[in-house]
Amino acid sequence: MPEQFNKTVLNPGLDTSLQDAEDSRESLMHYETTSSVEGNSYTIELNVSLPNFDASYNIPPTGTGVIVYMDKQSSSDKKSDYSYHIEALKFGLLPVWAKPQDSLRVKKGSGLGAEYSREVQQHQAKLFNCRKETLAQARTVWAEPRKHTRCVVPILGYFEWLDLKQGKIPHFIYLPDHPLLFLAGLYSHNTNYNETEIVPKGEQYFSSFSIVTGPAKGEGKNDMLWLHSRKPIFIEPNSKAWYEWLSPDDCWDEKKLETCLNTETNPVYESFQWHTVAKSVGNPTNKGPEVIEEEKEKQQSIA
């Protein structure tokens, strides 16, 4: 993941590798590089926290994904122009204000999950998608994360199901020449569950995220209404929207709804391609690369 982020964002098209910093540790790796984008040079610090993370081609809500956000830097400690953090966490937001109330365990196969797992997953099931329209409201559960904890979610592509008379057909939407795409997201570091089984010993918090979606209508390839009424919102690396969305300053401006969360003329969508995939992608236990492979339409026999 760090090298892919370097090739996609920090030094696109250049043969520039990351350098290990002196204070790298087993659970948190530190890298440094000089980023060269559009003729400008920046000093970058990259902190990576991916302990025991296994990459997956099929991440359902409550599964484990990866986010990227910018760290705040005090003026006295500032050693770089930008400080990024790459972190593994759960898909489905557990808000920072949520507190343990019910210790019931969720059913997990033939056994049970950790204490408090049922109420945590209830939060996550409701908050794995954030609608752009809801984000615009003054009073919303998203008020805290939209101001303090914005992020992007690196992915290879996304799945959507086309609803036809003969049944639902899964599609994979992707950019063929890009190692990573970046969804607009929001994340949470909840410390209220630190004394429960939900947060493993040694961890600082329960970390989780949600992605932002918008209306599927748009111009050109931005119009995805043929597939679904909603679509995820992507942010182009190193664009004005990228830096505005990831800025670690604690601020929220309604202008970000259009400057960062553009659904009408988003340049990322203009280069998208898609193909149908096997329905086995609907089973979250299928996580291998075969789930994104194109499934050719079966030909009718002459009979």
Side-chain angles (χ1 to χ4, degrees):
M1 178 61 73
E3 285 299 340
Q4 286 183 324
F5 185 74
N6 181 42
K7 292 178 181 178
T8 308
V9 178
L10 303 183
N11 291 291
L14 300 177
D15 187 19
T16 303
S17 59
L18 297 171
Q19 301 298 319
D20 290 348
E22 293 181 358
D23 57 348
S24 292
R25 300 186 299 275
E26 183 177 354
S27 60
L28 181 62
M29 301 300 296
H30 298 268
Y31 300 94
E32 295 175 350
T33 188
T34 299
S35 176
S36 300
V37 179
E38 296 183 354
N40 297 316
S41 182
Y42 304 100
T43 302
I44 304 294
E45 178 184 353
L46 182 61
N47 303 300
V48 182
S49 179
L50 301 173
N52 304 317
F53 173 69
D54 292 323
S56 171
Y57 289 83
N58 189 10
I59 302 173
T62 74
T64 302
V66 173
I67 65 166
V68 178
Y69 60 90
M70 281 189 183
D71 286 325
K72 289 183 181 179
Q73 299 180 85
S74 64
S75 56
S76 59
D77 296 335
K78 188 172 182 180
K79 299 177 182 178
S80 57
D81 295 304
Y82 297 104
S83 179
Y84 287 102
H85 198 113
I86 298 178
E87 179 181 322
L89 68 182
K90 296 296 184 181
F91 182 20
L93 200 78
L94 177 66
V96 292
W97 46 260
K99 296 181 179 180
Q101 304 288 336
D102 184 353
S103 62
L104 286 178
R105 304 168 185 262
V106 70
K107 291 183 178 180
K108 196 172 183 180
S110 58
L112 296 172
E115 286 188 350
Y116 297 96
S117 55
R118 192 180 77 160
E119 71 175 12
V120 167
Q121 289 196 12
Q122 285 175 342
H123 280 291
Q124 292 182 281
K126 296 177 183 177
L127 301 175
F128 64 89
N129 280 351
C130 168
R131 296 171 68 94
K132 175 182 175 180
E133 301 90 324
T134 307
L135 198 60
Q137 297 174 5
R139 293 185 177 183
T140 172
V141 69
W142 307 106
E144 180 76 12
R146 74 183 178 188
K147 182 178 180 181
H148 300 291
T149 52
R150 298 185 296 272
C151 67
V152 290
V153 183
I155 61 172
L156 295 175
Y158 75 97
F159 299 105
E160 191 58 83
W161 294 71
L162 176 62
D163 195 357
L164 300 174
K165 290 183 179 180
Q166 60 268 36
K168 293 185 176 182
I169 308 297
H171 287 65
F172 181 61
I173 297 87
Y174 64 102
L175 283 179
D177 299 324
H178 290 68
L180 291 175
L181 295 161
F182 297 90
L183 297 166
L186 302 163
Y187 71 97
S188 167
H189 288 158
N190 185 307
T191 59
N192 296 325
Y193 285 80
N194 282 23
E195 302 303 321
T196 72
E197 295 178 3
I198 287 294
V199 180
K201 290 183 179 180
E203 297 290 330
Q204 294 179 302
Y205 37 67
F206 185 91
S207 188
S208 58
F209 75 98
S210 174
I211 64 171
V212 185
T213 69
K217 187 178 182 299
E219 298 180 11
K221 278 195 172 182
N222 276 265
D223 196 330
M224 300 294 289
L225 278 172
W226 65 270
L227 181 60
H228 197 271
S229 62
R230 308 287 299 177
K231 65 186 178 187
I233 301 178
F234 291 87
I235 297 184
E236 186 176 18
N238 300 312
S239 63
K240 181 181 179 182
W242 174 272
Y243 292 107
E244 283 190 18
W245 184 254
L246 289 180
S247 170
D249 297 331
D250 291 340
C251 63
W252 172 254
D253 187 333
E254 285 192 6
K255 293 179 181 178
K256 284 184 172 64
L257 294 170
E258 300 308 322
T259 59
C260 300
L261 305 179
N262 178 4
T263 57
E264 288 289 330
T265 57
N266 192 321
V268 180
Y269 266 95
E270 290 304 319
S271 300
F272 268 138
Q273 294 185 19
W274 46 76
H275 58 243
T276 59
V277 295
K279 291 185 178 180
S280 59
V281 71
N283 183 344
T285 62
N286 296 323
K287 301 179 180 181
E290 68 279 357
V291 299
I292 67 172
E293 293 178 0
E294 182 174 7
E295 184 178 63
K296 301 295 184 181
E297 184 177 353
K298 295 180 179 179
Q299 298 293 321
Q300 293 278 348
S301 68
I302 193 170

